[in-house]
Each structure stands twice: as C-alpha cells, then as structure tokens.
Amino acid sequence: MSIEKVKAYFAQFGMEKQVIELAQSSATVALAAEAIGVEPARIAKTMSFRMEDKCLLIVTAGDTKIDNSKFKARFKMKARMLSPEEVAQMVGHAVGGVCPFAIPEDIPVYLDQSLKRFDTVFPAAGSSNSMIELTCDQLEQYSHGQWVDVCKLA
C-alpha cells in the first residue's frame, strides 16, 4: 500500500509518526481541508503531468490551478495531465493520495511558489485518507523539489 511506502520513507527521518491517517476521505482539496479544519489553500495538491514518455509532479496550493502560459514557458511543452491509470502506474500512488514522497527517483518534483505564503501545508501521504503537515522548507527537503512559478489563483 502506498501509505506504508510513505511511512517507511519518512521513517528514515524519524517522521513516520507525523503521517496523519483519517477515518474519512481526504482525496480532494475540499475534503482534506474539511477533515482537518484548515483553509483549502493550505492543502498541497500534487498534480501529475506527461513529460514525453515519463512524468513530472507539481505540488501547488489548494486554491490554484496551472497557468498554461507559465507552464509552457517553464517546461517548453503543453501541460497534459496523466490519466488516473497512468498516475498509479508511473508514480506509484493512486489519484487522491498522490504525493511527492516514496516515488521513483527519476520523477522530477516541482513546488509552486503559491505554497510559500503559508507556514505549513498538508500534502497527501500516499492514500486517499492521509496527509502530513510540513513547513515549506521540509516539503522542499523531503520531496527533493525545485521551486517554480507555474500557477495562478483558481
């Protein structure tokens, strides 16, 4: 199960107990925000995009969407999301639990600047009812992500 892979990943940093498992679904920004009582913008959603025959992940604030012109300028290609089946196969996490942790090493992770306005954010942790609270510095450290500016407010 993906959540077990994510817990094992965080165990190497002594943070596995920080993974929050909920009784209810947190598969969408709205559900996750409601489940833990935070504003939806603080939910760090991870989006999966096609990059030739591979993929890339972009983690962004819950109240944003991809700005196609910024995406194309940064990545030199049109933003095309993966299908749910492709996400599960390529990333190793199912839609609703996709996160930038415990993923194949060849998948690049990008963190959108929209997250930096918060002290802490809540990315998923491998399942549709899990998450972890991290500072932006921790998110960068544990995801091995690179900061970009490719989103706009929804």
Side-chain angles (χ1 to χ4, degrees), residues 6-152:
V6 172
K7 284 182 177 179
Y9 175 78
F10 278 112
Q12 66 185 318
F13 309 109
M15 293 194 46
E16 69 277 14
K17 296 213 184 308
Q18 303 297 325
V19 174
I20 303 164
E21 286 188 79
L22 304 166
Q24 69 270 39
S25 175
S26 59
T28 67
V29 168
L31 289 172
E34 183 179 330
I36 57 169
V38 300
E39 64 182 296
R42 286 185 60 203
I43 302 302
K45 62 184 176 182
T46 303
M47 301 167 60
S48 310
F49 294 91
R50 179 172 312 287
M51 183 178 66
E52 297 171 9
D53 60 341
K54 297 185 180 186
C55 73
L56 64 89
L57 299 180
I58 298 178
V59 185
T60 183
D63 63 347
T64 65
K65 63 182 182 179
I66 294 295
D67 181 315
N68 289 321
S69 60
K70 287 181 179 181
F71 186 99
K72 190 168 187 173
R74 173 61 178 86
F75 296 109
K76 311 297 186 241
M77 63 183 182
K78 184 178 178 182
R80 292 182 315 172
M81 293 190 73
L82 298 177
S83 70
E85 297 77 22
E86 291 172 317
V87 172
Q89 178 185 8
M90 296 172 101
V91 180
H93 302 306
V95 171
V98 177
C99 63
F101 318 114
I103 60 172
E105 288 185 16
D106 65 339
I107 296 179
V109 175
Y110 298 93
L111 310 172
D112 189 73
Q113 296 286 340
S114 60
L115 294 164
K116 287 192 170 184
R117 60 195 149 130
F118 304 109
D119 292 332
T120 62
V121 295
F122 297 86
S127 71
S128 62
N129 68 324
S130 66
M131 63 185 71
I132 186 166
E133 183 176 13
L134 299 172
T135 66
C136 288
D137 287 342
Q138 289 173 316
L139 179 61
E140 180 180 10
Q141 175 186 351
Y142 299 131
S143 70
H144 307 289
Q146 176 183 346
W147 291 101
V148 294
D149 179 12
V150 294
C151 291
K152 61 185 174 183

